Amino acid sequence: MSFYNEYSKIKDFSFDNFFQKIQGNDIRRILDKDKLEPWDFLALLSPKAQVYLEQMAQRAHMLSLQNFGKTILLYTPIYISNHCVNKCVYCSFNAANNIARKKLTMQEIEAEAREISKTGLKHVLVLTGESRTQTPVSYIKDAVKVLKGYFEVVSIEIYPLTEEEYKEVINAGVHGLVVYQEVYDEAIYDKLHLSGPKRDYHFRLDAPERACRAKMRSVNIGALLGLNHWRREAFFTGLHADYLQNKYLDVEISISLPRIRPYIGGCTDVYPVGDREFVQIMLALKIFLPHVGIAISTRERQGFRDQLIPLGVTKMSAGVSTEVGGHKGESTGEGQFEISDVRSVAEIRQAIQAKGFQPIFKDWMDI
Ligand code: SF4
């Protein structure tokens, strides 16, 4: 059994016909329900629901307070390599791009860790491009062991692993996995991933589930907003999170909402997602899946990120560099994309407090 079975049932669904039938009283009725069904969630993603954003915001705020309190977990990404064998048309690390490539040594990773730890952060997300040759599982495990000397929580965002490999990295100290499907629509996925192992749609789609089976503590999924019609991708993302949450009750499931940002070699085939639409996705997800966390990255600009805080955000990145070695200021590798919110950890901490929320650096305890 795979989420693909669920996806297959709805991949040819006529979203436009469904949306045409949604009326205002459907939205009001859904907002009064205790528990939403998938079709309720889709209705909240409809054009009609845009008129009800204020009511949706109130509901999302209340559900977020009930399930997560007034806390926001802070973390920062640490890029340790930008070598990549894939050709994803939307990414600077695309193997076809002639950019400066760099992979950190363990000493350099430790120097980065020392620099990040000065900010007080306890949670880092290790990122690489996707190259099993340049950054094999053994390298990832060594890097995690170094980072565990400085941080309580180490998550990874690397190429999809087998279940056995997920067990190996968990044993090395990994607590969380971030893996985005990028785009759920299979035909578009095929078009955007020109070559490399990432062309295997199914192996990527099942990666979060393999990690859950391997007993990863937290799993974060998402679609790169801008690669397809956002209503469809948001719907598939929500269904995927719902599937994982219902099947793996002891895994903390979260969703990220990355919006495509400028990058080297930019593609033009983008489906734009405006701020109101972004907010609608976030609110609909929060109302449909109140127990699922929502991470907002520095892809979003600072004022907008601050406004989102009370609406259901549970994790925010801070003090971000998307360059390899970027925290120590000794980067010789190109960044993955341009970030928008360039504030330091201290500044983001203050912004969260100014909204009446508490920034936290660690959200669980080992027993
Ligand atoms: S999105 Fe990931 S796999 Fe694709 S080119 Fe960028 S780093 Fe490589």
Side-chain angles (χ1 to χ4, degrees):
M1 184 66 177
S2 152
F3 176 66
Y4 188 71
N5 299 65
E6 303 302 312
Y7 168 76
S8 299
K9 289 180 203 159
I10 44 159
K11 66 177 182 177
D12 298 321
F13 180 74
S14 174
F15 286 79
D16 290 340
N17 283 352
F18 177 86
F19 290 144
Q20 271 169 18
K21 291 183 192 140
I22 299 295
Q23 302 297 323
N25 57 359
D26 294 318
I27 305 296
R28 288 191 292 274
R29 181 182 48 77
I30 290 165
L31 288 176
D32 280 338
K33 289 177 83 169
D34 285 335
K35 185 172 179 346
L36 270 58
E37 299 301 325
W39 300 119
D40 297 327
F41 168 50
L42 186 58
L44 293 186
L45 291 169
S46 70
K48 187 58 90 177
Q50 281 178 340
V51 182
Y52 294 87
L53 279 193
E54 183 54 41
Q55 291 93 321
M56 287 171 67
Q58 287 170 13
R59 180 77 195 273
H61 174 67
M62 191 193 74
L63 289 169
S64 193
L65 289 189
Q66 280 171 0
N67 290 285
F68 293 92
K70 285 190 138 186
T71 58
I72 307 273
L73 177 72
L74 289 182
Y75 70 96
T76 204
I78 167 170
Y79 281 75
I80 62 171
S81 168
N82 62 1
H83 290 277
C84 191
V85 295
N86 292 309
K87 292 184 181 167
C88 313
V89 301
Y90 49 82
C91 177
S92 301
F93 291 174
N94 181 332
N97 286 342
N98 186 18
I99 61 167
R101 304 277 173 180
K102 164 109 177 140
K103 166 184 156 184
L104 297 186
T105 63
M106 292 305 140
Q107 289 73 22
E108 287 168 326
I109 290 172
E110 183 149 19
E112 285 280 280
R114 235 180 267 122
E115 199 62 29
I116 295 169
S117 66
K118 289 180 193 164
T119 65
L121 287 175
K122 299 267 184 273
H123 186 163
V124 285
L125 171 64
V126 178
L127 289 104
T128 63
E130 299 197 5
S131 169
R132 278 184 175 266
T133 319
Q134 290 288 344
T135 54
V137 174
S138 56
Y139 171 81
I140 303 291
K141 289 195 294 187
D142 289 345
V144 169
K145 285 176 192 159
V146 170
L147 292 167
K148 285 292 285 180
Y150 292 84
F151 305 103
E152 307 272 357
V153 182
V154 177
S155 300
I156 53 168
E157 184 174 346
I158 62 169
Y159 46 85
L161 302 180
T162 64
E163 187 176 332
E164 279 312 305
E165 288 170 331
Y166 280 129
K167 285 182 188 159
E168 278 186 49
V169 294
I170 291 168
N171 287 337
V174 168
H175 292 83
L177 172 73
V178 176
V179 59
Y180 302 148
Q181 185 59 24
E182 316 288 15
V183 60
Y184 283 86
D185 183 298
E186 214 174 342
I188 295 178
Y189 187 95
D190 193 54
K191 205 174 90 187
L192 298 179
H193 300 100
L194 304 179
S195 71
K198 195 169 175 180
R199 279 184 60 73
D200 189 338
Y201 174 94
H202 292 266
F203 191 67
R204 193 168 191 91
L205 189 71
D206 291 336
E209 180 151 18
R210 289 195 299 277
C212 289
R213 280 203 302 264
K215 305 228 173 294
M216 190 72 75
R217 187 181 289 267
S218 72
V219 171
N220 190 311
I221 62 167
L224 182 54
L225 297 172
L227 298 182
N228 185 17
H229 296 286
W230 62 267
R231 290 192 162 92
R232 292 167 198 232
E233 291 298 316
F235 186 53
F236 296 140
T237 306
L239 293 192
H240 196 179
D242 189 41
Y243 168 87
L244 294 170
Q245 190 182 49
N246 292 335
K247 204 164 166 186
Y248 301 97
L249 301 176
D250 50 352
V251 184
E252 178 199 312
I253 306 295
S254 300
I255 294 174
S256 294
L257 300 171
R259 262 198 291 195
I260 203 159
R261 293 280 306 149
Y263 55 91
I264 295 165
C267 72
T268 49
D269 206 5
V270 167
Y271 296 81
V273 181
D275 286 354
R276 274 181 74 79
E277 296 161 334
F278 185 96
V279 169
Q280 186 179 357
I281 298 170
M282 193 178 128
L283 299 177
L285 281 168
K286 179 53 71 177
I287 298 169
F288 176 47
L289 301 168
H291 305 296
V292 163
I294 293 187
I296 300 292
S297 78
T298 51
R299 287 170 182 265
E300 301 304 328
R301 61 193 190 283
Q302 65 176 68
F304 185 55
R305 284 226 298 172
D306 293 352
Q307 284 172 13
L308 296 175
I309 289 171
L311 303 181
V313 178
T314 56
K315 294 183 204 178
M316 290 174 87
S317 50
V320 171
S321 166
T322 67
E323 295 173 23
V324 179
H327 290 281
K328 192 82 176 58
E330 292 173 358
S331 164
T332 51
E334 306 274 0
Q336 190 177 27
F337 55 87
E338 289 175 21
I339 61 172
S340 188
D341 183 349
V342 294
R343 287 175 292 180
S344 67
V345 174
E347 287 168 327
I348 291 186
R349 207 172 159 170
Q350 278 170 11
I352 292 171
Q353 285 165 336
K355 287 279 175 189
F357 279 67
Q358 184 191 358
I360 53 170
F361 288 4
K362 186 181 171 189
D363 63 346
W364 56 268
M365 300 281 285
D366 268 329
I367 305 170

